[in-house]
Amino acid sequence: MKDYMAPMEGVTNFVYRRTYHRFYHPMDKYFTPFISAKPKKNLSFQEICEVSPERNEGMYVVPQILTCNADDFIRTAQLLKDDYGHQEVNLNLGCPSGTVTAKGKGAGFLAEPQKLDQFLDQIFSKLDMKISIKTRIGTHYEEDWEYLLAIYEKYPIHELIIHPRIQTDMYRGVPRLGAYEKAVNRLKMPLCYNGNLFSAADYKRITERFPDTCCFMYGRGLITNPGLVTEIREGIRPDKKTVREFHDCLFEEYRELLSGERNVLFRMKELWSYMAVNFTNYEKYAKKIKKSQHLSEYSSVVSSLFAEQDLID
Ligand SMILES: Cc1cc2nc3c(=O)[nH]c(=O)nc-3n(C[C@H](O)[C@H](O)[C@H](O)COP(=O)(O)O)c2cc1C
């Protein structure tokens, strides 16, 4: 069985990944939030931090690329290989955000099958690297999935990570498992399941229905409960002490790396927008965290939360 940390813009950056890796069950792969490949654009300082081996020691990191232009993808992938030693890159065909899809990228690219087919033909013929894809199952209709499967099966995709929602689902509702089943029955390449794995019970349900799937990617469920995969793989129940140590370490790292209280607070508040629900009676603490203006105020609310509440069962 393999476990992957999902790419999540603004959340699963290198700081989060390496802190997670220190405290919890190690992931087999960590995917970076997407890097936008643009003509002539070099990597930004932030992007270099995401992909450089020095900042990601001990972890298998897969850089994710967002583009609908084959030349830009090839150039960026080659740079990731030549300058940072990456042997694998991932193509984002899942981002549902309007600003991305309007440009025909992310999930928006799924609406243009001919163009997508040509794009894949070019990148697979020109790059000597492992190329994996993270995809939704369509843009507006689940029926899109049939033609996408017909395209995917033509290429030597290293691994196809499927988030079985259409673009317009955003993150609402439940994953469309019937579509995932179609892929399991049809495709020969390795598949990875992604979507709504929030608990060990969710994981069990998916493995019972798809016993041949042996690769799982965790996003929001893992950020909410960083002990999720440790529980699934090692049978260790999440405990408050480890969450506290994990939190304190992450907080410390952000304080060292980011300039200004506002930036640190922004990152930590984003994290708590997921983690808070993992605690009993979390509402009033979550509100105070959201409203806090200074690190001292923030630290004091977080300390009260850890002292006064427990992790939910
Ligand atoms: C805040 C946020 C940021 C995300 N950023 C990315 C991204 O950069 N690249 C990507 O492929 N998916 C991104 N995703 C999608 C996740 O990787 C994942 O596919 C999605 O959350 C579904 O999995 P989950 O139900 O386990 O959360 C993002 C999702 C969220 C909520």
Side-chain angles (χ1 to χ4, degrees), residues 13-188:
N13 54 40
F14 73 97
V15 183
Y16 186 91
R17 298 195 299 265
R18 69 185 184 195
T19 310
Y20 172 89
H21 195 73
R22 221 180 111 182
F23 285 90
Y24 289 106
H25 187 84
M27 294 284 170
D28 293 281
K29 292 185 185 178
Y30 296 84
F31 289 73
T32 72
F34 68 76
I35 293 169
S36 257
K38 296 198 180 112
K40 298 199 191 105
K41 190 196 117 189
N42 287 322
L43 298 186
S44 65
F45 175 70
Q46 179 58 41
E47 288 166 344
I48 291 172
C49 291
E50 290 300 322
V51 301
S52 77
E54 298 78 39
R55 305 246 184 192
N56 293 279
E57 230 178 316
M59 294 179 279
Y60 186 101
V61 170
V62 182
Q64 185 187 64
I65 302 176
L66 177 82
T67 184
C68 57
N69 179 298
D71 290 338
D72 293 345
F73 185 94
I74 292 164
R75 201 178 56 82
T76 305
Q78 198 63 52
L79 182 147
L80 289 163
K81 183 179 181 185
D82 297 343
D83 293 3
Y84 303 97
H86 289 281
Q87 301 297 325
E88 178 180 348
V89 285
N90 179 262
L91 169 66
N92 179 325
L93 291 178
C95 183
S97 136
T99 48
V100 166
T101 56
K103 294 179 198 141
K105 301 178 194 173
F109 206 172
L110 304 176
E112 298 186 72
Q114 265 186 332
K115 196 177 161 204
L116 176 63
D117 199 1
Q118 283 163 7
F119 173 99
L120 295 178
D121 186 53
Q122 283 196 49
I123 65 169
F124 278 100
S125 60
K126 294 203 178 134
L127 279 169
D128 182 21
M129 289 176 83
K130 293 174 189 162
I131 303 171
S132 61
I133 294 179
K134 181 164 178 281
T135 187
R136 286 195 180 230
I137 57 164
T139 52
H140 293 76
Y141 308 100
E142 193 171 323
E143 291 70 32
D144 295 354
W145 191 223
E146 293 293 339
Y147 68 70
L148 291 170
L149 287 172
I151 294 174
Y152 290 149
E153 70 185 352
K154 297 199 297 182
Y155 296 99
I157 300 170
H158 175 63
E159 199 163 52
L160 186 67
I161 301 159
I162 301 174
H163 178 51
R165 283 189 166 99
I166 55 175
Q167 176 197 323
T168 50
D169 288 338
M170 302 300 283
Y171 295 104
R172 289 185 293 264
V174 289
R176 299 166 184 258
L177 296 182
Y180 184 74
E181 189 165 15
K182 281 190 181 148
V184 168
N185 292 337
R186 178 161 173 179
L187 298 178
K188 305 265 186 304

Side-chain angles (χ1 to χ4, degrees), residues 279-285 305 308-310 312:
F279 288 80
T280 52
N281 308 308
Y282 67 89
E283 291 89 346
K284 76 170 186 195
Y285 303 88
L305 173 63
E308 294 159 17
Q309 302 298 330
D310 287 314
I312 53 164

Side-chain angles (χ1 to χ4, degrees), residues 224-280:
T224 306
N225 167 18
L228 175 64
V229 176
T230 310
E231 181 178 3
I232 291 171
R233 295 289 167 235
E234 301 176 27
I236 300 171
R237 298 281 296 153
D239 71 288
K240 201 166 67 167
K241 186 169 160 282
T242 313
V243 181
R244 172 93 230 211
E245 286 168 3
F246 167 73
H247 165 276
D248 291 353
C249 183
L250 195 55
F251 186 39
E252 187 61 38
E253 287 248 7
Y254 279 138
R255 273 190 301 186
E256 271 172 28
L257 270 163
L258 302 173
S259 60
E261 292 191 59
R262 275 170 62 93
N263 288 328
V264 179
L265 282 172
F266 182 80
R267 294 281 172 199
M268 297 313 291
K269 286 180 186 182
E270 175 81 6
L271 200 68
W272 280 106
S273 72
Y274 294 94
M275 281 205 326
V277 298
N278 207 25
F279 288 80
T280 52

